[in-house]
Amino acid sequence: MSLALFKKTLQSYASPKRKKSNQWFFKTGKGQYGYGDKFIGVSDPDSRKVAKQFYNLPIPDVKKLLQSKIHEERTTALKILVHKFESGDELKKKQIYNFYLKNFKYVNNWDLVDVSAYKIAGTYLLKHPKRARVLGKFSKSKSLWERRLSIVATLALIRNNEFNWTMKNAKTLFGDSHDLTHKAVGWMLREVWKRDSRLVEDFLIKNYKQVPRTTLRYAIERMEEKKRKRFLKGF
């Protein structure tokens, strides 16, 4: 499995129409969060096909793909990395986790965070809770993507009914300036709500004045309509 063959295979799924659509969807215009990102127009299912085909690609080649200017090469590299993490023993998981954080500057769009953060960082920290304080550090980062990591990674903990880091980081991120952070926080609060509705509802009521409107809408999305309207109106 060579890097050249990987790139050729990925390119075979490229679509000019999807390229144009993705450049708009991922906000690559000047001044937007994805400014400068390059797309070739590969769909997510096709990216997964290529990742499955090249899951044995050596880590040095995965690193080269992570450093690529092409968005889909970075996306597929992360999917390969997730596979290596999930199929590895404890030592391999530790190595992949450390590699992931060391190279996180290349995980520089919301979909890249979402496809990898909870599957690698979150899952590793679930098994190594003493290291989870890194999530608190990232919640205060100047990097939008590290801040998104700090909340999305907690999905692995949520699925194990551990909510402390989600609630703690959600409160920290209420003051965030970016809509992408507000959406991620609302998404994770909704995931907690599915498992402990009272916890989230009490949390939203207690912090209501600080909760960004976008976060609130995402968090209460699955509530029954009458209750949801009460939250939107502020009781």
Side-chain angles (χ1 to χ4, degrees):
M1 291 294 180
S2 69
L3 192 57
L5 181 58
F6 170 94
K7 293 187 176 188
K8 182 179 180 180
T9 304
L10 190 68
Q11 183 66 48
S12 71
Y13 290 101
S15 159
K17 183 178 179 180
R18 189 177 293 110
K19 172 184 176 179
K20 184 177 180 180
S21 174
N22 283 350
Q23 286 174 334
W24 172 83
F25 185 72
F26 288 101
K27 310 300 181 187
T28 61
K30 189 173 182 179
Q32 296 180 308
Y33 64 77
Y35 178 61
D37 210 351
K38 305 295 182 183
F39 287 82
I40 58 175
V42 178
S43 70
D44 183 67
D46 287 338
S47 169
R48 292 185 184 280
K49 287 180 187 176
V50 177
K52 186 176 181 180
Q53 182 178 346
F54 288 86
Y55 70 91
N56 276 330
L57 204 66
I59 285 292
D61 286 343
V62 174
K63 183 175 181 178
K64 289 177 182 177
L65 291 172
L66 276 178
Q67 295 172 342
S68 172
K69 293 182 179 180
I70 297 174
H71 187 98
E72 292 94 338
E73 290 188 358
R74 301 199 305 282
T75 305
T76 311
L78 287 166
K79 291 169 184 173
I80 292 172
L81 203 62
V82 167
H83 176 83
K84 289 181 180 297
F85 178 87
E86 292 177 342
S87 61
D89 58 19
E90 286 306 308
L91 177 59
K92 177 61 71 173
K93 289 181 190 298
K94 180 180 180 180
Q95 291 171 341
I96 296 294
Y97 167 78
N98 288 333
F99 174 86
Y100 178 69
L101 291 191
K102 185 176 180 180
N103 292 279
F104 191 76
K105 63 182 177 181
Y106 304 112
V107 185
N108 55 357
N109 213 313
W110 61 265
D111 64 313
L112 303 181
V113 176
D114 294 358
V115 80
S116 59
Y118 76 91
K119 292 182 178 180
I120 296 177
T123 301
Y124 182 80
L125 295 173
L126 175 64
K127 295 293 183 67
H128 301 85
K130 290 183 179 179
R131 300 188 65 178
R133 60 183 179 275
V134 71
L135 295 175
K137 176 184 176 182
F138 283 153
S139 72
K140 301 176 180 69
S141 172
K142 292 181 180 180
S143 164
L144 167 61
W145 310 122
E146 288 186 355
R147 298 197 305 274
R148 189 172 176 99
L149 163 70
S150 77
I151 192 71
V152 174
T154 69
L155 181 56
L157 283 67
I158 292 170
R159 289 177 173 175
N160 199 55
N161 293 317
E162 296 183 18
F163 310 134
N164 288 344
W165 275 111
T166 306
M167 310 310 286
K168 182 176 180 178
N169 284 355
K171 190 169 184 179
T172 299
L173 294 169
F174 281 162
D176 199 276
S177 61
H178 208 289
D179 191 56
L180 285 174
T181 305
H182 299 165
K183 290 177 180 178
V185 173
W187 170 24
M188 289 305 110
L189 288 176
R190 186 175 69 236
E191 291 300 317
V192 176
W193 180 85
K194 293 176 184 177
R195 295 159 175 82
D196 191 337
S197 59
R198 177 59 65 85
L199 174 66
V200 174
E201 290 170 20
D202 288 348
F203 178 74
L204 291 174
I205 292 169
K206 183 178 180 180
N207 298 283
Y208 194 83
K209 291 183 179 180
Q210 287 74 46
V211 182
R213 201 67 176 175
T214 299
T215 295
L216 180 65
R217 288 196 180 101
Y218 271 63
I220 67 176
E221 192 177 57
R222 299 295 179 86
M223 288 182 183
E224 59 94 14
E225 187 174 1
K226 186 177 291 186
K227 180 182 287 188
R228 184 170 55 82
K229 286 182 176 179
R230 288 205 309 269
F231 272 89
L232 288 172
K233 290 178 180 179
F235 314 99

